[in-house]
Amino acid sequence: MKILWGIDLGGTKIEGAVLEYEDDFRVIERFRIPTEANLGYEHILEQINKLVDLLKEKTGLEPDSIGFSTPGALDPTTQTLKNCNTTCLNGQTFKDDIEKILGLPIKMANDANCFALAETLFGVVSDIDPKPEAVFGVIMGTGVGGGLVINDKVISGRHGIGGEWGHNFIHESGGDCYCGKVGCVETVFSGPALERYYASQSGSSMKMKDIVTAYREDNDPVAKETMNRLFSMFGKAISQIINVVDPEVVVIGGGLGNIDELYIEGVEQLKQHIFNSKKVETLFLKPKLGDSAGVFGAALL
């Protein structure tokens, strides 16, 4: 039996979990505290140390190592964080700094990779296929990200950006992306991107959940156009992953992953781009672990 410790470092909260693991896992303790990123990098390190101390106190246990889910990626060459939307983390030697503070070795992976790993080993994928060769985990919400698991192992890649489909070019109409490029997947069909598109076509603003409702009620042509944009661009974008990696399963997390029509209309659009005579056998699944996936995946590292 193993005791696994994981920390999910988010923009607004930091969650820690201690798991008991053998053939399955049991949560011994979970706890969250605010990130308070506005107070800067050193404060985030202090918050993590505080959280670990709280978990030690609550469990009476001491970790040998801790897995971390982070909002960006560790650059293998510079050993600094990059691509974090919590921008004060970028350029920081986070792994070295937190290891010194905690006095422990840590393992790190991007949050989307942790999501994919957790759903593969203990989530929806394990319920369907206990030994998949390849799983692609998608997060579609405020941003768009992805994580790749091959033979139960996270693939971070030479540059630490394995699975990052959200910053591939998909269509110039997405406009400028914070990453410095134009027309990234994230700028086209993240939740905020679709809301911007609706506003640009209708002249009025509407939240994504209301756009979905209007689409289903079939009383708003711009809502229908916006949703069709989601389906068509998703099909085109996910085809890039299917054609290169050909995973058995794609798990779709984030707010947009709750849209049932995506699994029908989005997959129908994929048929136009897959290199398989328009035949799609990939399983597209909703996640099972909810917002637990990040911290569980971190522990499983």
Side-chain angles (χ1 to χ4, degrees):
M1 183 181 297
K2 295 181 180 179
I3 304 296
L4 305 179
W5 292 60
I7 301 288
D8 183 15
L9 176 56
T12 58
K13 55 90 179 170
I14 308 170
E15 181 173 10
V18 182
L19 311 178
E20 185 180 76
Y21 164 65
E22 196 164 8
D23 295 327
D24 203 345
F25 67 87
R26 180 180 70 86
V27 177
I28 298 173
E29 188 61 67
R30 287 177 69 177
F31 203 74
R32 294 179 178 183
I33 63 173
T35 308
E36 298 175 344
N38 60 303
L39 297 178
Y41 174 66
E42 297 295 336
H43 183 75
I44 293 175
L45 297 179
E46 291 171 6
Q47 289 293 90
I48 293 169
N49 192 33
K50 176 182 175 181
L51 177 58
V52 172
D53 284 342
L54 284 169
L55 289 170
K56 288 179 183 178
E57 181 182 331
K58 285 176 174 290
T59 63
L61 299 170
E62 292 281 338
D64 296 319
S65 63
I66 300 179
F68 274 78
S69 166
T70 62
L74 182 69
D75 188 299
T77 302
T78 65
Q79 290 296 298
T80 59
L81 281 176
K82 61 183 178 182
N83 302 335
C84 298
N85 49 18
T86 305
T87 54
C88 67
L89 294 171
N90 289 323
Q92 302 287 355
T93 54
F94 175 81
K95 185 175 187 293
D96 287 345
D97 294 341
I98 202 64
E99 283 184 335
K100 287 174 184 175
I101 289 171
L102 298 178
L104 295 167
I106 72 166
K107 289 190 176 182
M108 291 172 49
N110 175 267
D111 50 7
N113 280 322
C114 288
F115 162 78
L117 183 64
E119 289 293 346
T120 298
L121 296 181
F122 290 117
V124 66
V125 180
S126 63
D127 291 343
I128 303 295
D129 184 349
K131 277 294 176 184
E133 182 181 22
V135 175
F136 191 67
V138 170
I139 296 178
M140 290 170 53
T142 303
V144 175
L148 181 59
V149 174
I150 304 290
N151 293 325
D152 295 346
K153 182 179 183 298
V154 165
I155 304 299
S156 296
R158 177 64 183 87
H159 302 92
I161 57 172
E164 278 290 2
W165 79 312
H167 294 280
N168 286 326
F169 173 80
I170 192 69
H171 201 273
E172 61 274 1
S173 62
D176 294 337
C177 182
Y178 77 87
C179 75
K181 298 190 293 182
V182 174
C184 290
V185 167
E186 185 168 300
T187 69
V188 174
F189 61 81
S190 64
L194 290 167
E195 291 174 356
R196 287 194 300 271
Y197 180 81
Y198 179 89
S200 72
Q201 300 302 304
S202 68
S204 61
S205 62
M206 187 181 286
K207 291 295 185 184
M208 194 61 215
K209 63 181 179 62
D210 298 319
I211 294 172
V212 174
T213 298
Y215 166 78
R216 289 171 177 166
E217 293 175 351
D218 198 19
N219 60 9
D220 184 337
V222 180
K224 183 175 183 179
E225 184 181 344
T226 302
M227 293 296 288
N228 285 336
R229 177 178 174 85
L230 166 61
F231 302 143
S232 64
M233 292 298 181
F234 171 79
K236 184 177 181 181
I238 202 66
S239 74
Q240 297 170 347
I241 301 299
I242 305 299
N243 287 342
V244 174
V245 180
D246 200 12
E248 289 100 315
V249 183
V250 174
V251 186
I252 307 177
L256 298 182
N258 293 319
I259 299 173
D260 291 339
E261 292 88 345
L262 185 65
Y263 299 82
I264 301 169
E265 302 299 335
V267 174
E268 189 64 30
Q269 291 295 318
L270 166 61
K271 292 178 182 178
Q272 311 307 313
H273 305 285
I274 190 171
F275 186 52
N276 194 42
S277 302
K278 298 188 177 183
K279 185 178 181 181
V280 175
E281 297 184 2
T282 314
L283 293 177
F284 287 83
L285 304 175
K286 290 184 179 181
K288 176 182 177 180
L289 299 175
D291 66 357
S292 302
V295 74
F296 289 177
L300 290 166
L301 292 174

